[in-house]
């Protein structure tokens, strides 16, 4: 947890079946014993950490694929299946998982569902809410909610599964998932762009949607300091030869190599005609594309090596995305915390997924706590809320952000969430002190 969250538990249980989970929760509910569910422990919001001696319920042994339908393009898998393992498995059947994360080697599909993970290709394949077809959930009192449907169209009553997507283990334990798969692409390429103005990123995005259309699968950006940090601390080569104020990475996935390459050429020509890019490079070999993705996906890891990282996961309207970085630097400079070689804050950086309006802001301090944390919070959440943003885009609320939910959700919405929590978990045993419980 980036050295920020530490656990406290005397007991960890490793069930292998939903029935065993049911027995455990029924006992814990009867005896008022709190439970924290864990998957791959790859989250960054502390939502799966047992802080106060709760029983840990690890789902790592529930790791079987129950079924794959190669006609419908649907897989039914248990929650402990590692995302990368699932992706490798479905590729053998001509599909890919619709969600892809930097933590794919550790994160598990149950955790992806429970945090409503977004990821790197949200732009193309959509959210967990869109791709999950059904769930098997063990409720706090031990009852097994069998909503493990595999149908893509079902209008028969309330869509119960949606309540558990993003609930972070506060309403029950997700034990199995039915999820819609995406066809494995036959053609893929990556373009990396160098730009000198943030506004040109948005123009490039508009042109990408117009010229590349349905084959765009990712549209990422990062600024100059992020690039320098990855080069310095991960020892990776920059994807471009020259330094730029901003970088954009665009991935396309299609079915015909020549067709997709032609569309990319036309797109880059449009960028050149409008004077948007200073440098561009296209990667089409699998090894080279993997290297570019590695550069991008290790951005958070590189920042942790550079200092004590406060990482923020926001959604913001396009017109305010760069304003967040500027405002944070100005705020910290005005307080004497940033701007000099010996300042308490070493770096403030920003990168993210332009296609889904999700930004990651990193504040790299010399140590956690003290004046830096007091200056950041709640100021940064207030700023995001006042500019029409969400205080949690894809990492979840976890152990820390529930108390800041009021900046982006109305009192009625928050109370409705609490009412739902009370209905499902009246004894409050599921992941106490997290998520809506601390709002």
């Amino acid at each position: 947890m980036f050295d920020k969250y530490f656990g406290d538990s005397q007991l960890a249980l490793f069930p292998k079946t939903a029935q065993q989970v049911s027995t455990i929760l029924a006992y814990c509910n009867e005896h008022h014993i709190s439970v924290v569910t864990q998957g791959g422990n790859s989250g960054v919001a502390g939502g799966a950490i047992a802080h106060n001696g709760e029983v840990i319920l690890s789902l790592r042994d529930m790791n079987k694929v129950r079924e794959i339908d190669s006609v419908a393009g649907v897989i039914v898998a248990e929650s402990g299946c590692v995302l990368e393992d699932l992706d490798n498995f479905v590729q053998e059947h001509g599909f890919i998982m619709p969600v892809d994360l930097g933590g794919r080697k550790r994160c598990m599909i149950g955790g992806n569902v429970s945090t409503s993970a977004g990821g790197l290709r949200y732009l193309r394949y959509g959210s967990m809410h869109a791709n999950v077809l059904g769930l098997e959930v063990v409720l706090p009192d031990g009852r097994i909610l069998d909503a493990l449907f595999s149908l893509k169209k079902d209008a028969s009553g309330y869509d119960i599964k949606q309540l558990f997507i993003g609930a972070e283990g506060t309403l029950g334990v997700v034990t199995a998932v039915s999820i819609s798969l995406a066809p494995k692409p036959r053609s893929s390429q990556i373009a990396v762009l160098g730009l000198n103005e943030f506004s040109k990123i948005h123009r490039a995005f508009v042109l990408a949607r117009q010229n590349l259309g349905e084959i765009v699968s990712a549209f990422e950006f990062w600024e100059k300091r992020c690039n320098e940090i990855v080069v310095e601390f991960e020892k990776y080569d920059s994807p471009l030869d020259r330094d730029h104020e901003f970088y954009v990475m665009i991935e396309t996935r299609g079915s015909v190599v020549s067709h997709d390459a032609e569309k990319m050429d036309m797109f880059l020509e449009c960028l050149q005609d409008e004077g948007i890019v200073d440098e561009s490079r296209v990667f089409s070999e699998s090894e080279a594309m993997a290297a570019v993705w590695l550069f991008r996906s290790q951005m958070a890891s590189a920042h942790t090596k550079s200092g004590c990282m406060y990482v923020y996961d926001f959604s913001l309207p396009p017109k305010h995305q760069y304003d967040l970085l500027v405002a944070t630097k100005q705020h910290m400079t005005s307080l004497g915390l940033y701007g000099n070689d010996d300042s308490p804050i070493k770096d403030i950086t920003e990168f993210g997924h332009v296609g889904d309006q999700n930004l990651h802001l990193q504040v790299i301090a010399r140590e956690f706590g003290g004046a830096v944390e007091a200056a950041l919070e709640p100021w940064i959440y207030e700023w995001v809320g006042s500019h029409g943003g969400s205080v949690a885009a894809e990492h979840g609320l976890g152990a820390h952000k529930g108390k800041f939910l009021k900046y982006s959700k109305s009192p009625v919405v928050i109370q409705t969430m609490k009412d739902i929590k009370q209905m499902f978990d009246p004894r409050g045993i599921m992941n106490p002190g997290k998520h809506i419980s601390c709002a």
Side-chain angles (χ1 to χ4, degrees):
M1 295 302 157
F2 302 139
D3 295 326
K4 194 173 181 182
Y5 301 109
F6 300 92
D8 172 25
S9 178
Q10 301 299 313
L11 178 64
L13 302 175
F14 300 86
K16 292 182 170 61
T17 67
Q19 187 56 56
Q20 289 179 355
V21 175
S22 172
T23 301
I24 291 167
L25 289 191
Y27 180 89
C28 289
N29 190 61
E30 182 181 352
H31 293 86
H32 297 266
I33 300 171
S34 297
V35 178
V36 172
T37 308
Q38 287 189 355
N41 280 339
S42 60
V44 299
I49 302 297
H51 292 291
N52 296 300
E54 299 94 340
V55 171
I56 292 174
L57 189 66
S58 173
L59 300 184
R60 72 181 189 188
D61 290 341
M62 294 190 66
N63 54 18
K64 297 180 179 63
V65 172
R66 296 186 184 177
E67 180 185 1
I68 182 167
D69 186 331
S70 296
V71 176
V74 176
I75 188 171
V76 178
E78 294 179 343
S79 289
C81 291
V82 175
L83 179 60
E84 185 174 69
D85 294 342
L86 279 181
D87 193 56
N88 291 336
F89 174 78
V90 300
Q91 284 195 42
E92 296 175 0
H93 295 265
F95 298 97
I96 59 171
M97 295 296 292
V99 63
D100 187 23
L101 311 172
R104 66 183 71 84
K105 292 181 182 296
R106 286 182 56 196
C107 68
M108 297 175 183
I109 193 64
N112 299 153
V113 169
S114 295
T115 58
S116 190
L120 303 167
R121 296 188 175 96
Y122 188 106
L123 173 63
R124 173 70 175 275
Y125 302 116
S127 66
M128 298 302 293
H129 285 283
N131 287 291
V132 171
L133 303 175
L135 295 175
E136 177 185 81
V137 183
V138 181
L139 300 177
D141 61 6
R143 289 178 296 158
I144 298 176
L145 177 70
D146 184 1
L148 201 59
F149 309 117
S150 295
L151 300 175
K152 296 187 178 182
K153 293 185 76 173
D154 178 17
S156 57
Y158 298 122
D159 194 359
I160 290 293
K161 68 178 183 292
Q162 299 293 350
L163 285 174
F164 300 94
I165 300 173
E168 300 181 44
T170 61
L171 302 181
V173 177
V174 175
T175 51
V177 182
S178 172
I179 192 165
S180 180
L181 303 172
K184 184 178 180 179
R186 296 179 179 177
S187 166
S188 186
Q189 56 187 336
I190 290 175
V192 179
L193 316 176
L195 312 90
N196 58 24
E197 295 177 17
F198 190 84
S199 61
K200 292 181 178 180
I201 296 176
H202 290 151
R203 181 57 183 161
F205 178 64
V206 171
L207 290 174
R209 297 299 295 270
Q210 292 175 348
N211 289 272
L212 298 173
E214 77 288 349
I215 65 173
V216 178
S217 54
F219 195 106
E220 304 287 300
F221 89 92
W222 59 92
E223 41 98 6
K224 182 179 181 179
R225 185 59 188 140
C226 291
N227 207 75
E228 293 171 345
I229 287 173
V230 176
V231 171
E232 179 180 355
F233 290 96
E234 297 293 341
K235 309 303 180 186
Y236 296 152
D237 293 332
S238 174
L240 295 180
D241 293 331
R242 303 197 305 271
D243 292 334
H244 303 276
E245 291 301 315
F246 302 97
Y247 297 79
V248 163
M249 189 198 80
I250 304 166
E251 181 192 65
T252 67
R253 290 182 153 197
S255 57
V256 181
V257 174
S258 59
H259 171 264
D260 296 349
E262 183 179 353
K263 295 187 81 168
M264 179 65 80
D265 289 341
M266 292 176 61
F267 166 64
L268 294 176
E269 187 175 326
C270 286
L271 295 181
Q272 293 290 347
D273 289 345
E274 292 198 18
I276 292 173
V277 297
D278 298 323
E279 183 183 3
S280 64
R281 186 177 177 185
V282 177
F283 303 82
S284 56
E285 298 297 326
S286 58
E287 193 171 300
M289 289 190 291
V292 175
W293 267 121
L294 184 62
F295 188 95
R296 164 61 185 86
S297 64
Q298 292 301 303
M299 214 153 273
S301 174
H303 278 77
T304 65
K305 296 175 182 178
S306 70
C308 298
M309 179 172 71
Y310 290 90
V311 59
Y312 295 98
D313 163 51
F314 299 130
S315 285
L316 274 169
K319 63 183 179 181
H320 296 309
Q321 289 171 349
Y322 187 59
D323 295 342
L324 172 64
L325 180 64
V326 173
T328 304
K329 288 183 175 180
Q330 289 175 344
H331 178 65
M332 293 303 166
T333 299
S334 71
L335 297 175
L337 299 173
Y338 176 72
N340 298 315
D341 291 341
D342 59 349
S343 294
I345 296 175
K346 299 165 62 177
D347 278 305
I348 302 175
T349 68
E350 186 179 79
F351 64 87
H353 323 293
V354 173
D356 56 26
Q357 304 176 342
N358 182 193
L359 303 175
H360 300 300
L361 182 83
Q362 291 69 228
V363 177
I364 310 301
R366 299 187 188 279
E367 60 184 11
F368 285 120
V372 171
E373 188 163 325
L376 278 170
E377 301 172 5
W379 174 84
I380 198 164
Y381 294 102
E382 292 176 341
W383 192 97
V384 169
S386 67
H387 289 79
S390 169
V391 300
E394 64 177 359
H395 292 167
L397 294 173
H400 183 63
K401 287 185 280 187
K403 60 180 175 288
F404 303 118
L405 190 59
K406 62 185 179 183
Y407 297 115
S408 61
K409 291 287 190 292
S410 73
V412 174
V413 169
I414 292 174
Q415 186 57 53
T416 302
M417 291 184 188
K418 289 185 175 184
D419 292 344
I420 292 170
K421 166 69 172 174
Q422 178 64 25
M423 182 185 72
F424 277 94
D425 184 24
R427 295 189 176 182
I429 69 165
M430 302 304 300
N431 214 1
K434 317 276 182 57
H435 198 260
I436 194 64
S437 298
C438 54

